[in-house]
Amino acid sequence: MEVDKKDPSDRTRWVCIYPPYLDSTKSLADGRRIAKEHAVANPKAMEIRDVLYKLGFNVDVENKTYSRDLFARGRVRVQLKAADGRPVKAEAANRKALFKLAAAQIAKLPQREKEATAEAESGGGGGGGSGVAANAAPEPAPVPVKPAKASNKKGKKGRRG
């Protein structure tokens, strides 16, 4: 196969990471690629880029959307293997290890830690209700629409008969 002959350090051979791959709020069917206990809530492509760049990976951000979630903007390409075929970093020898490493580093970001402590102090974000206030007014019933009356006007061709 021609794909196997390509240089692993070629940008087209780099690993693609879409934010939903690491998103703990997504299901496996929605595109999450790692276990929920390793994932983070609502990661951004720029966060993925920042943490992997700080770890020493070659990264590239592309303005692409994920096919299962068209609102998840951004795709990060990461060089996983060097030209000789060995992993660039030993702690990320394969795709899954790279995803887990990125999610763990995102969870350690200062703004993420601030959000986590703020939620813990405020009681965890609202009690996990259904999102509808208990004393909210019910939605008004839809108004029935009357069907349009048939017109007596003749069309361009006129009536036949």
Side-chain angles (χ1 to χ4, degrees):
M1 288 181 81
E2 185 179 332
V3 174
D4 294 335
K5 294 178 184 177
K6 277 192 172 181
D7 182 15
S9 64
D10 183 24
R11 280 191 192 272
T12 59
R13 300 281 295 151
W14 289 10
V15 173
C16 292
I17 303 177
Y18 289 96
Y21 288 5
L22 313 178
D23 195 346
S24 64
T25 64
K26 301 284 184 190
S27 66
L28 290 174
D30 289 336
R32 182 173 40 84
R33 299 285 176 101
I34 57 176
K36 274 193 177 184
E37 58 265 11
H38 298 297
V40 292
N42 302 313
K44 306 284 184 264
M46 294 305 143
E47 291 175 330
I48 297 169
R49 180 207 57 190
D50 291 344
V51 298
L52 292 175
Y53 181 77
K54 286 180 184 176
L55 289 172
F57 287 96
N58 291 329
V59 295
D60 187 24
V61 178
E62 300 170 332
N63 188 22
K64 299 285 186 178
T65 57
Y66 185 49
S67 61
R68 296 184 198 179
D69 184 4
L70 297 178
F71 298 109
R73 205 81 167 127
R75 175 172 75 183
V76 181
R77 282 192 179 262
V78 183
Q79 182 180 2
L80 188 62
K81 295 184 179 181
D84 60 0
R86 290 185 301 185
V88 172
K89 298 285 181 185
E91 62 266 17
N94 56 39
R95 295 168 57 91
K96 293 277 185 177
L98 179 67
F99 296 163
K100 289 178 185 179
L101 180 65
Q105 294 301 314
I106 290 171
K108 294 178 185 176
L109 287 174
Q111 63 267 25
R112 291 279 179 155
E113 289 178 350
K114 287 178 188 175
E115 290 172 5
T117 57
E119 280 185 20
E121 290 173 3
S122 69
S130 65
V132 178
N135 58 358
E139 291 186 31
V143 178
V145 179
K146 295 180 182 177
K149 291 183 178 180
S151 174
N152 290 336
K153 295 181 181 178
K154 294 182 179 179
K156 287 185 177 182
K157 292 185 178 180
R159 292 198 179 192
R160 297 183 189 195

